[in-house]
Amino acid sequence: MSTATGTTAPPKLSVRDLRLSYRSGRRRNLALRDVNLDVADGEFLALVGPSGCGKSTLLKIVSGLVAATAGTVAIDGQPTRGTPERVGLLFQNDALLPWRTVEDNIRFPLAIGGTPLHEQRERVKRLISAVGLDGFGAYYPRQLSGGMRKRVALARILAADPDVFLMDEPFGPLDAQTRARISADFLALWEQVGKTVVFVTHDVDEAILLADRVAVMTAGPGRVKEEFQVDIPRPRSIDDVRFSDPFRELRHRISQSLRAEFEPTDAGDGRGRLIAEL
């Protein structure tokens, strides 16, 4: 990204030569190997890859929950230390506080950040409406459906207003119809706020429908194997995009790249390229 002075701004998020290994018994296993990835400010990147390839682990390293064995993570060109500020993480598990109402769950990051009470109330009210939960502010998580709980979790991360959203299969546990509806709602919200997103999913269709770019990771040890630009105009209507020629062509290319990761190794074990270092 070029500035008025002609200099190039750093990526919002940059991962360089990232490695993660861990000991299991007498073996040292390599989970991530030389991962390199840049994500521009306001870009929506989807990560896809075989189960166990390290997609979720990569997000945990970026968020500071797991320490890498080697390599660097930088935000706005500055290397991160510990848990970086302005980064929000949304897991499959919505992690709502069961003793707090919908309003209080959404309010939580605002209260922690010292936002004035009157502003907290106004922002919570707007966010409840934005995620389609008008009338449910006084409900507790146990009184909500899975889809509604996910909307609360989404509103809470929006309340925190991070610069970078890290989303680990956030809609995975939902049924297909609810997942499609919430994906469409989230896409509409994201197109309004324009924040940087790294979104892990096993669903190629979901990746294409949501993202500006899709990165395919190899089977373990994970690394970024190939990237695909999603040249489908925004705003996107999910129903229209799904049946378009560009969507079908891109889905075919990404699926081919993924299928190659499930090919047997030379040893013929049929499990893909799962590698362990002694």
Side-chain angles (χ1 to χ4, degrees):
M1 181 184 300
S2 296
T3 66
T5 61
T7 60
T8 300
K12 173 59 73 172
L13 172 66
S14 182
V15 175
R16 283 287 170 272
D17 302 320
L18 205 67
R19 293 170 66 91
L20 178 69
S21 63
Y22 60 94
R23 186 166 294 280
S24 177
R26 299 179 61 184
R27 297 171 66 86
R28 178 162 292 277
N29 299 299
L30 188 61
L32 294 172
R33 179 184 63 194
D34 302 330
V35 176
N36 289 284
L37 193 66
D38 287 335
V39 189
D41 188 16
E43 183 181 18
F44 196 127
L45 174 76
L47 284 176
V48 298
S51 295
C53 73
K55 300 185 299 295
S56 298
T57 301
L58 176 58
L59 292 196
K60 290 176 182 176
I61 292 173
V62 172
S63 67
L65 296 179
V66 172
T69 307
T72 61
V73 175
I75 295 178
D76 291 324
Q78 299 300 313
T80 61
R81 297 287 184 270
T83 303
E85 296 181 358
R86 312 297 293 164
V87 171
L89 180 59
L90 186 61
F91 295 103
Q92 283 191 34
N93 182 348
D94 51 58
L96 299 180
L97 302 174
W99 59 89
R100 290 178 177 265
T101 63
V102 167
E103 288 181 351
D104 287 340
N105 265 284
I106 299 171
R107 189 197 312 274
F108 186 69
L110 299 174
I112 292 296
T115 302
L117 185 58
H118 71 278
E119 186 177 338
Q120 290 181 33
R121 290 170 177 160
E122 287 301 316
R123 287 180 65 180
V124 168
K125 182 179 178 180
R126 290 197 301 270
L127 286 166
I128 285 176
S129 181
V131 298
L133 289 176
D134 285 319
F136 291 93
Y139 282 57
Y140 288 89
R142 66 178 180 275
Q143 298 173 295
L144 305 176
S145 67
M148 294 170 76
R149 288 169 60 98
K150 192 61 66 176
R151 289 175 185 272
V152 178
L154 179 58
R156 185 174 60 184
I157 196 173
L158 288 167
D161 194 29
D163 289 339
V164 179
F165 286 69
L166 305 176
M167 308 184 73
D168 187 7
E169 295 193 78
F171 312 135
L174 304 175
D175 64 84
Q177 184 175 5
T178 302
R179 179 172 180 164
R181 186 166 62 249
I182 292 182
S183 292
D185 290 345
F186 173 64
L187 181 60
L189 285 170
W190 175 81
E191 287 174 342
Q192 293 176 34
V193 300
K195 296 298 181 95
T196 303
V197 176
V198 182
F199 189 99
V200 166
T201 180
H202 280 94
D203 189 325
V204 173
D205 285 16
E206 182 176 60
I208 299 170
L209 291 168
L210 294 176
D212 297 311
R213 183 163 49 104
V214 179
V216 176
M217 293 185 67
T218 62
R223 61 178 177 80
V224 176
K225 168 190 177 181
E226 196 170 2
E227 299 180 18
F228 299 86
Q229 199 69 32
V230 183
D231 293 321
I232 298 175
R234 297 187 186 275
R236 295 176 186 166
S237 165
I238 287 180
D239 290 336
D240 292 341
V241 169
R242 194 184 297 273
F243 299 103
S244 68
D245 289 338
F247 176 87
R248 287 195 292 264
E249 179 184 349
L250 194 52
R251 179 173 57 186
H252 175 70
R253 291 169 58 207
I254 295 172
S255 297
Q256 277 190 319
S257 184
L258 280 171
R259 276 195 295 271
E261 294 308 303
F262 293 94
E263 293 174 354
T265 62
D266 292 339
D269 62 6
R271 295 178 58 195
R273 303 179 183 87
L274 301 179
I275 301 172
E277 289 189 339
L278 294 177

